[in-house]
Amino acid sequence: GKLNEDLGRYTIAEGYYTALLETRKKMAGENHSGYASSCNALGVLYTKTRQFEKAEIYLVKAVETWDRVLGKQNENYIISLENLSFTYARQGKNDKAEIASLAALELKKISLGETDPLYILAVKNLAKFYQNTSQYDKAEKYFLTAIKIAEDSLVDNTPEYTETLLFLANLYKETGKYIEAETWFMKAVKSGKKTLGTGHSFYGRILNDLALLYDYSGKHEAADSLLNQALGIARKTKGDKHPDVAVVLNNLGSLYNDMGLFAKAEPVILEALEIKRKFYGEDHVENVPVFNILANLYSDMGKYDKAEHYYLEAIRIKKKQSGENNPAYSNYINNLALLYHLMGYYKKAEPLFLQS
């Protein structure tokens, strides 16, 4: 099952995992570590395939079984609890996710100690949860805690430490604290050079994210230089047709649009769209941000028919994927309304403004 899961053959993996679960249940019953392990494996698989309700059922079984068989301080119990927390978060059950994450963190503190890299990782993951749920003060607190523990424990020469620096920098960027963000980005760049090297794909990500900060701050030439460096790293490490290349191209195209360099922006964004379509398929949600950027570009260029087409595509796919009750969908509706208003189609624009 694990081999097929790693190869992305999820349906085949599900069959193997389910068969093994039933065999273990018949042979040893539900109060056995083998049963708990199989439940955990199925829960993780269902989370990967976005079948979150099924994932929750099996991960709850795994957690309960590990507790009965080996107790709460067992490593496997903690792992299943963390997996359950992640599944809760993916469903928007944030209160349950927070409770599970905090419980797992406390258990790791007891069993491993605060200086263990796995404990530091758990602190960082909790910070990411708080960031994703817009609890920015808590996110900042836990990112800083993870950084301090790493520095005090002399484990600040690792890629994981670099990653935490980057996450904190992006948190400050997200909350509009650009001066603090730049400070931590510079620390991430320095750490990345030491722990990863300047040719590493994650170092390229640091440059990409710093470039976005400079774009937001109006430092367009600095952003342009960094994005082209990041693009070169992505092409070299991932190949020209990888979606990571498309991400940087999309950011570069958006930057050129902000600079009014429409002739440079269009081919770059179109290349990003081609890569994502070929990699994910025509109607995948990963294409939506590129549709939106391309629509923005055509709107700024006065090519309103093309802009309308791509806004409608973004709306259609986003609605199909996650429904109408999410911020991104509302943003795309608002963009289309602004376009119709710009075109003088006020009757079309008004209901969209009200919807967004």
Side-chain angles (χ1 to χ4, degrees):
K2 188 67 171 69
L3 175 62
N4 283 290
E5 180 183 349
D6 291 342
L7 292 171
R9 301 168 182 166
Y10 297 133
T11 302
I12 298 173
E14 181 185 6
Y16 280 112
Y17 284 145
T18 302
L20 181 58
L21 176 68
E22 290 304 315
T23 300
R24 285 173 166 173
K25 184 177 178 180
K26 288 179 181 178
M27 292 180 65
E30 295 185 5
N31 291 322
H32 190 271
S33 59
Y35 177 79
S37 178
S38 289
C39 286
N40 182 75
L42 271 169
V44 171
L45 178 69
Y46 285 135
T47 299
K48 283 184 179 179
T49 56
R50 303 180 65 85
Q51 300 178 71
F52 299 124
E53 292 183 1
K54 285 184 177 181
E56 180 181 341
I57 290 170
Y58 282 100
L59 289 171
V60 167
K61 288 181 179 180
V63 168
E64 291 175 347
T65 306
W66 287 125
D67 187 18
R68 288 195 304 270
V69 175
L70 296 173
K72 288 185 172 61
Q73 293 191 24
N74 180 264
E75 177 186 4
N76 292 298
Y77 173 87
I78 299 171
I79 291 171
S80 291
L81 188 60
E82 287 180 320
N83 292 337
L84 179 59
S85 172
F86 180 74
T87 301
Y88 281 144
R90 293 298 299 272
Q91 296 178 85
K93 298 180 179 180
N94 295 329
D95 290 343
K96 288 186 174 183
E98 182 179 14
I99 290 169
S101 289
L102 287 170
L105 183 65
E106 185 61 24
L107 290 168
K108 281 194 171 182
K109 182 178 178 181
I110 294 169
S111 62
L112 300 172
E114 291 188 3
T115 60
D116 191 280
L118 290 176
Y119 176 78
I120 299 172
L121 175 62
V123 173
K124 179 178 67 176
N125 288 340
L126 182 58
K128 284 295 292 178
F129 165 75
Y130 284 132
Q131 181 178 3
N132 292 337
T133 54
S134 302
Q135 300 180 68
Y136 298 121
D137 289 343
K138 288 183 178 180
E140 180 185 14
K141 171 188 171 183
Y142 281 98
F143 279 136
L144 288 170
T145 298
I147 290 167
K148 186 177 188 307
I149 294 172
E151 291 173 347
D152 291 347
S153 308
L154 302 179
V155 289
D156 55 348
N157 59 345
T158 64
E160 291 76 17
Y161 174 76
T162 302
E163 184 181 61
T164 310
L165 295 175
L166 178 64
F167 287 166
L168 181 59
N170 276 318
L171 174 69
Y172 286 133
K173 181 183 71 177
E174 185 177 340
T175 53
K177 297 178 180 178
Y178 293 156
I179 294 174
E180 292 92 336
E182 184 173 13
T183 298
W184 287 96
F185 272 124
M186 290 306 176
K187 290 182 179 182
V189 169
K190 182 179 179 181
S191 179
K193 284 181 180 178
K194 183 171 65 174
T195 63
L196 300 167
T198 56
H200 195 279
S201 60
F202 192 80
Y203 182 78
R205 179 183 168 182
I206 297 171
L207 299 183
N208 174 82
D209 292 357
L210 176 56
L212 295 180
L213 172 69
Y214 285 147
D215 186 13
Y216 300 156
S217 306
K219 300 176 181 178
H220 292 145
E221 291 184 2
D224 187 5
S225 174
L226 289 170
L227 282 173
N228 275 289
Q229 289 180 60
L231 181 61
I233 294 169
R235 289 192 190 279
K236 187 173 181 179
T237 57
K238 299 295 182 68
D240 289 335
K241 303 303 181 183
H242 195 276
D244 285 358
V245 172
V247 169
V248 184
L249 286 168
N250 199 43
N251 292 336
L252 188 60
S254 181
L255 171 68
Y256 288 149
N257 186 30
D258 292 342
M259 297 171 70
L261 303 174
F262 302 140
K264 293 181 75 172
E266 184 177 14
V268 170
I269 302 173
L270 287 172
E271 184 182 353
L273 181 58
E274 181 185 5
I275 292 170
K276 287 205 168 189
R277 276 177 161 167
K278 286 184 177 179
F279 191 89
Y280 294 111
E282 290 289 330
D283 282 355
H284 198 279
V285 70
E286 286 290 334
N287 299 333
V288 170
V290 190
F291 288 144
N292 189 60
I293 293 294
L294 196 54
N296 290 342
L297 171 66
Y298 285 134
S299 178
D300 291 341
M301 295 173 71
K303 297 181 178 181
Y304 298 136
D305 289 343
K306 287 187 174 182
E308 180 186 23
H309 168 74
Y310 284 109
Y311 281 139
L312 288 170
E313 282 292 280
I315 290 166
R316 177 182 66 82
I317 295 172
K318 192 64 180 177
K319 180 179 180 180
K320 181 180 177 182
Q321 184 260 344
S322 55
E324 298 182 5
N325 295 321
N326 67 84
Y329 179 81
S330 296
N331 180 56
Y332 301 144
I333 289 289
N334 187 67
N335 286 345
L336 181 60
L338 290 170
L339 176 69
Y340 285 147
H341 188 271
L342 188 64
M343 296 170 71
Y345 296 165
Y346 303 122
K347 289 184 178 180
K348 283 188 172 183
E350 183 178 4
L352 294 175
F353 279 127
L354 293 172
Q355 183 180 347
S356 65

